[in-house]
């Protein structure tokens, strides 16, 4: 087993009674960080990061009307951000790779494009640079970004009262 460090963003801050119930439910390894965007900073022992996150999400159910709205991660990058994280490539080099002007092609697609700004997944870009270009950069886990996307989808489905449809979509996709 490994101790996993992650943050679960909350829809609101629990009151004292709710915090006690969460502690009793097993969230004694998570610290509440208050503020405009409250979150639990967790150090959870589990076989995998996904299992650790899932166990915290299950324990949050001890309090009605309190739920996770995201899992904090730093996966979104512009090509400039990616160049800084990489340390050995320039933004211009990455721009050429992304445009297919250099390299083998197949550079990861942006996860968001808006008003001349493209945001990429650093996990996908670093993996591609390592496997396709042979760059010596550390592997980045994709679990946090995947868990965040799943939690955000669950929140949207809950708000729109479409949970069963989204569950079915996961079953057939």
């Amino acid at each position: 087993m490994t101790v996993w460090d992650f943050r679960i963003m909350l829809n609101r801050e629990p009151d004292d009674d709710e915090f006690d119930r969460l502690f009793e439910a097993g969230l004694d390894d998570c610290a509440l960080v208050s503020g405009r965007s409250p979150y639990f900073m967790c150090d959870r022992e589990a076989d995998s990061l996904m299992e650790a996150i899932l166990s915290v999400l299950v324990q949050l159910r001890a309090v009605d009307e309190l739920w996770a709205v995201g899992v904090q991660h730093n996966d979104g990058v512009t090509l400039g951000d990616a160049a800084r994280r990489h340390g050995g490539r320039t933004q211009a080099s990455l721009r050429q790779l992304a445009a297919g002007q250099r390299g083998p092609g197949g550079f990861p697609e942006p996860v968001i494009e808006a008003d001349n700004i493209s945001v990429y997944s650093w996990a996908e870009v670093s993996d591609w640079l390592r496997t396709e270009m042979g760059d010596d950069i550390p592997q980045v886990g994709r679990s946090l970004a995947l868990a965040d996307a799943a939690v955000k989808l669950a929140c949207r489905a809950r708000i729109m009262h479409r949970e069963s449809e989204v569950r079915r979509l996961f079953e057939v996709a």
Side-chain angles (χ1 to χ4, degrees), residues 89 93-94 96-98 102-108 121-135 137 142:
R89 287 198 178 267
S93 168
L94 292 175
Q96 289 175 329
L97 290 168
R102 288 189 49 228
F107 193 86
S121 163
W122 173 241
E124 291 177 13
V125 169
S126 63
D127 185 53
W128 186 87
L129 289 168
R130 194 175 40 267
T131 60
E132 299 299 321
M133 300 299 293
D135 290 5
I137 54 177
R142 296 181 181 189

Side-chain angles (χ1 to χ4, degrees), residues 21-66:
R21 282 190 277 154
L22 291 168
F23 187 84
E24 290 169 10
L27 285 173
D28 56 333
D29 55 357
C30 297
L32 178 64
V33 177
S34 301
R36 192 174 60 90
S37 300
Y39 61 90
F40 275 116
M41 199 166 43
C42 301
D43 291 314
R44 178 64 53 107
E45 189 173 313
D47 289 330
S48 72
L49 178 56
M50 284 294 204
E51 285 181 29
I53 292 168
L54 180 61
S55 67
V56 170
L57 296 176
V58 167
Q59 291 168 343
L60 280 175
R61 291 180 175 222
V63 174
D64 292 335
E65 305 302 318
L66 177 70

